Structures are given as C-alpha cells and as structure tokens.
Amino acid sequence: MNEKIKILIADDHPLYREGIKQTLAKIECVISECSNGEEAIKLILEQKPDVAIVDLRMPVKSGLDVLSELAGGQNNAKIILLTMYENLNYFYQAVSFGAKGYLLKGNAVDELIPAVKEVFAGGVFVSVNLRNEIDSVHKKEYEHKALIFSINTLTEAEKKIVKLVGDWKTNGEIAELLSISKRTVENHRAHISEKLNLRGTHSLIRFAIQNREFF
Amino acid sequence: MNEKIKILIADDHPLYREGIKQTLAKIECVISECSNGEEAIKLILEQKPDVAIVDLRMPVKSGLDVLSELAGGQNNAKIILLTMYENLNYFYQAVSFGAKGYLLKGNAVDELIPAVKEVFAGGVFVSVNLRNEIDSVHKKEYEHKALIFSINTLTEAEKKIVKLVGDWKTNGEIAELLSISKRTVENHRAHISEKLNLRGTHSLIRFAIQNREFF
DNA sequence: TTAAAAATGAGTAGTTCTACTCATTCATAA
DNA sequence: TTATGAATGAGTAGAACTACTCATTTTTAA
C-alpha cells in the first residue's frame, strides 16, 4: 500500500476533526475536511476521495443523509460512519445505505487506521463493541427462538406438569392434583427433561421457575 | 339511646351531604351541615354537636385542618373523617389529631350509622377495608421482622451456604467450592433448615431464591 | 383403518437431599 | 478457666428425583 489514500473528514466539531487528522498522521494520506453533510456530498463528488469519514450527527445533513444521497451513484468513495451511541437501528440503516465502516467514537482512536485500511482494501469494518452487541443480540434472539421451539415440543400433559413443578410441587403432590400415578409424573418429567436437554435433580425446577411465563 | 344525637355534616358536595342525611334518617338525630372546613370549625364551636362527619378533602380548610385546629380545645364533638382513599398516612395523621372515626366513602352506606353510634358512645370506628389494610401491613411488617430475625441467627458459614444454594449449587458443588466435606455441607443445611423452620427437599432452595437479596 | 404419538404405568439402580444421632476441634465469652 | 457456640466430620434410614428400560391403552393424524 504505497500510494497515498485520499481521505475526507466530515465532522462539525473542529477539535474532533483535528483528533482524527492526528490519528491518521501515522499513515500515508491526503486529507481534506468539511463540517456538514451537504459539503460532504459536494466534496465526495468533486474530489472523489478513496475514503470518507463521516460523523452521523451533523448540521444541515446527517451522515445517514450523505449515505442515502450518494447511494447507487457513480462515486466509489468508501464511507465510514462515526457515531457516539451503540444504537443498532442506526447501524442497520447505515448498512442498508451502503456504509463500509461503522465506528463508535469511543473506539475510534484504536480502530480508525485499521478501519480506513480495511475499507480502502474493499472490506468492511465495524467497531468491536458493536460487533459484540450484535453478537449478543443475535445470540439472545437465537436462544429465545430455541426456547420457544423446545417448549412447543412439549405436550399438554407435560406443560401442565412443568407449571406445577414451577409452583414447587413434588411429584407426589402433582400426582394427587392430576389424579395420576406418581410413576407417571416421573415418566413425564423424564420426557420433559429429555426434550429440553436438562439433566440433574433441580434443573427442571429451575427451568420451570425461570420460564414461568410460558406455562 | 333515646335522646336525639346532634350531628354536623361537613362536605363540599351537596349531593353527598344529601346521601349522608338520607342514610342517617334511620336514627333519631338533629342534623346541621356546611360545605368547608372553616365553617365546620365555627359550627362545631357554636353548636357543640355530638358527632361531626367531616370530609377529608374540602375547600378553604381540609378535614385534617379541622381536626388539628380543634385538638386540645374544650369542645367534645367526636369527629368522624370521611375519605375516598385507603391511604394509611392520612389515617395515622387523623388518629394523632384525635379523630374518633375514619370512614372510607366506599363503605359509608353500610358503616355510617354504626360509626355514629360507636363514636357517640365513646368508642372509635374504622372502616373494615382499612382495618384489613392495617392488619395486612402489620402482618407484613411482622413477617419481615421475623424473617430478618431468623436470618440473623444464621452464622457466616451458614449464610455462605444459603447463597450458594440460591445459585442452584448442589451440596457436592458447594463442598468443592468451600473446600469442605459434603457431609459438612449437609450438616450446615440441616442446621439452617432448623433455624428457619423449613422442612422438605426443596424448601431451602426456595427460601434461598426468594430471599436472594439478603445473602 | 392403520401407524404414530401421547398418556398412562412399572422395574431397577443410582443421586441428591433430609432427618435424625453423635463426635472432634477451636475460639470466645462468662 | 470452663463451657458454650461454631465449624467440621460421620452413620444410618428414608424421601425425592433421575436415568434408563419396558408395557398398555388411548388419541390423533395420515
């Protein structure tokens, strides 16, 4: 990577632009700058920078406006969005508008150069905090779906028993309440534990209490 | 009770005064009325009624104002407060100002005559709903104190074990974590259950989870 | 109508915990 | 200094639950 990267910085805060310039001083680059979204659009079309580092919150036009107005155009500037907050909605919008990078200001010092290099090389870059956030949201969604799925494999009789287990009833009490044999309750519990992939003496009670809402 | 009871009704809502009068028509009484707290004080001092039925919320001066201004005076009017809400703070204030009756409007139709008779005879009267409320609050306070007391009889080693039981650890796991014998953990659990008056296989787990905050 | 799934029940072995009793060591407070 | 409580440990019996296997009857869906 010997050629100088042409970079545009768009941020309404001069001090912040300065910080970005200082950080980028470690790589070979030509930097131009502006302080709002409208200027950013104009300069990206005129100067055709390789990479544009654009603040999400700017006067006149926001970073998302810049992305949406340039989307599908002839320019080939890779746009990196800069923002304060770990709001996934903005991130998803930015991605849908064709952003190549999404940097949290808190991570910017460490990640700015890697991000510029990555998007310049044709890749994408997302701040590690946001990646973790996305992972955890996906994980939670997956776990929730898996939970609902497992619960739906339970039959009505089995669900009844889970409910009573969650009310701290013993097998003997459940048998009495449902007018069935204690052995039948034990068998149901075994089937339930198998379906829910539970093992150990208290795991079903724990499950029943933690997922009380579904029973 | 053959003499006519002299009753003052103080309520800013004429319709409500009418309802009270209709209800009191079943007993021998002489009724006068007014529509705010200031008038009520004046009439109580002038007419010296036996019983004053005073709304808590009134313009100019409230029922509590009436009570506090007459407190310690020479009048011997027994004051019954009328109110909408089961707010115990108002009740306690009213009692401290010397109210002889505290009636909830929801209970008034049934309780008005018993209340008037009771306070006229020198007793006190509190709406049944409020009595229940007070009982339940006292019961909760008592139970809470009893709980704190039992928990404080536990030794440090025992508290540690309750915490781990609440984390769904088995005796074997607890033994390993604390580097003591499984039999010792079992003995501690036995002592704990005795102190807390618990019995049954799951009762300690249940206790530990429900009172997690104390460990 | 027939095959699969669900609900019911039991046998047997093993784990986890309770419910008693008892003993040893240690610190601390009377 | 002695005795009391706290922490540690164990014996034994039984209750509660798991972890398999198996069987019968009923319901449901193909």
Side-chain angles (χ1 to χ4, degrees):
Chain A
M1 216 182 284
N2 285 332
E3 53 180 322
K4 288 195 177 184
I5 307 176
K6 281 168 66 182
I7 300 176
L8 173 68
I9 301 170
D11 195 312
D12 59 322
H13 202 156
L15 246 169
Y16 209 82
R17 289 204 301 275
E18 197 53 39
I20 295 173
K21 280 199 284 184
Q22 288 300 324
T23 308
L24 290 177
K26 287 164 197 154
I27 59 172
E28 295 275 314
C29 59
V30 183
I31 292 172
S32 55
E33 48 188 291
C34 63
S35 60
N36 69 56
E38 203 153 76
E39 290 176 36
I41 293 171
K42 186 163 152 275
L43 290 179
I44 287 171
L45 293 173
E46 281 177 16
Q47 304 180 345
K48 302 200 181 300
D50 299 306
V51 175
I53 299 164
V54 179
D55 193 10
L56 198 142
R57 281 205 189 168
M58 282 188 299
V60 190
K61 288 192 172 171
S62 76
L64 285 176
D65 293 333
V66 173
L67 276 169
S68 73
E69 294 197 17
L70 292 175
Q74 301 310 312
N75 72 89
N76 52 6
K78 323 286 192 183
I79 297 180
I80 297 173
L81 268 189
L82 260 180
T83 182
M84 292 269 270
Y85 309 105
E86 305 186 18
N87 186 319
L88 284 185
N89 289 329
Y90 287 138
F91 169 73
Y92 289 130
Q93 278 186 62
V95 168
S96 74
F97 285 147
K100 298 300 181 204
Y102 196 94
L103 275 188
L104 298 175
K105 290 193 173 177
N107 298 109
V109 176
D110 295 329
E111 296 183 340
L112 197 56
I113 290 177
V116 168
K117 285 185 177 171
E118 182 65 37
V119 304
F120 180 63
V124 296
F125 191 97
V126 177
S127 273
V128 62
N129 284 18
L130 203 66
R131 283 204 298 275
N132 293 342
E133 171 81 5
I134 292 165
D135 286 350
S136 102
V137 167
H138 283 178
K139 199 180 162 207
K140 274 180 198 155
E141 278 174 3
Y142 172 78
E143 282 170 356
H144 186 255
K145 279 179 190 160
L147 175 68
I148 299 293
F149 179 78
S150 335
I151 290 176
N152 282 334
T153 66
L154 299 181
T155 65
E156 287 309 308
E158 287 166 348
K159 285 181 187 173
K160 247 185 236 171
I161 288 186
V162 174
K163 194 202 165 308
L164 292 169
V165 168
D167 290 338
W168 298 95
K169 304 290 186 211
T170 66
N171 285 350
E173 290 168 333
I174 294 171
E176 188 133 355
L177 282 166
L178 301 182
S179 303
I180 53 179
S181 148
K182 187 166 155 262
R183 296 298 285 106
T184 303
V185 178
E186 290 173 359
N187 287 323
H188 279 311
R189 274 178 93 136
H191 293 145
I192 294 164
S193 290
E194 198 180 2
K195 285 180 181 178
L196 300 179
N197 210 30
L198 301 173
R199 61 209 71 246
T201 309
H202 298 129
S203 54
L204 184 55
I205 298 184
R206 187 177 184 174
F207 175 88
I209 290 170
Q210 290 178 341
N211 301 290
R212 194 175 275 283
E213 62 207 289
F214 299 116
F215 296 97
Chain B
M1 214 182 289
N2 285 330
E3 52 180 324
K4 286 194 174 182
I5 306 176
K6 281 167 67 182
I7 300 176
L8 172 70
I9 300 170
D11 196 311
D12 59 321
H13 203 157
L15 245 167
Y16 209 80
R17 288 204 302 273
E18 198 52 42
I20 294 173
K21 281 200 283 184
Q22 289 300 322
T23 308
L24 290 178
K26 287 166 198 152
I27 59 171
E28 294 276 314
C29 60
V30 184
I31 293 172
S32 55
E33 49 187 293
C34 64
S35 61
N36 68 56
E38 205 153 74
E39 290 177 36
I41 293 170
K42 187 162 153 275
L43 291 178
I44 287 170
L45 293 174
E46 280 177 17
Q47 305 182 342
K48 301 200 182 300
D50 299 306
V51 176
I53 298 163
V54 180
D55 193 10
L56 199 141
R57 282 204 190 171
M58 284 187 297
V60 190
K61 288 192 173 172
S62 77
L64 284 176
D65 293 331
V66 174
L67 277 169
S68 74
E69 294 198 17
L70 293 175
Q74 301 308 316
N75 70 90
N76 52 6
K78 324 286 193 184
I79 297 180
I80 296 173
L81 269 188
L82 259 180
T83 182
M84 292 270 267
Y85 309 106
E86 304 184 20
N87 186 319
L88 284 186
N89 290 328
Y90 286 139
F91 170 73
Y92 290 130
Q93 277 188 64
V95 168
S96 75
F97 285 147
K100 298 300 179 203
Y102 198 93
L103 276 188
L104 298 175
K105 289 194 174 176
N107 299 109
V109 176
D110 296 329
E111 297 182 339
L112 198 54
I113 290 176
V116 168
K117 286 185 176 170
E118 182 64 35
V119 302
F120 181 62
V124 296
F125 191 97
V126 177
S127 274
V128 62
N129 284 18
L130 203 65
R131 285 204 297 275
N132 294 340
E133 172 79 5
I134 291 166
D135 287 349
S136 102
V137 167
H138 284 179
K139 199 180 162 208
K140 272 181 200 157
E141 277 173 4
Y142 173 77
E143 281 170 355
H144 186 254
K145 279 179 190 160
L147 175 69
I148 299 292
F149 179 78
S150 336
I151 290 177
N152 281 334
T153 67
L154 299 181
T155 66
E156 288 309 308
E158 287 167 348
K159 284 181 186 171
K160 247 185 237 171
I161 289 189
V162 174
K163 196 204 163 306
L164 291 168
V165 168
D167 290 339
W168 299 95
K169 305 289 186 209
T170 65
N171 285 350
E173 290 167 334
I174 294 171
E176 189 132 357
L177 283 166
L178 301 182
S179 303
I180 54 178
S181 149
K182 188 167 155 260
R183 295 299 283 104
T184 303
V185 178
E186 288 173 0
N187 287 322
H188 279 311
R189 274 178 92 138
H191 293 146
I192 295 164
S193 290
E194 199 181 358
K195 286 180 180 178
L196 301 179
N197 209 28
L198 300 173
R199 60 209 71 247
T201 310
H202 298 129
S203 53
L204 184 54
I205 298 183
R206 188 177 182 173
F207 174 88
I209 291 169
Q210 290 177 341
N211 301 289
R212 194 176 275 283
E213 61 207 289
F214 299 115
F215 297 96

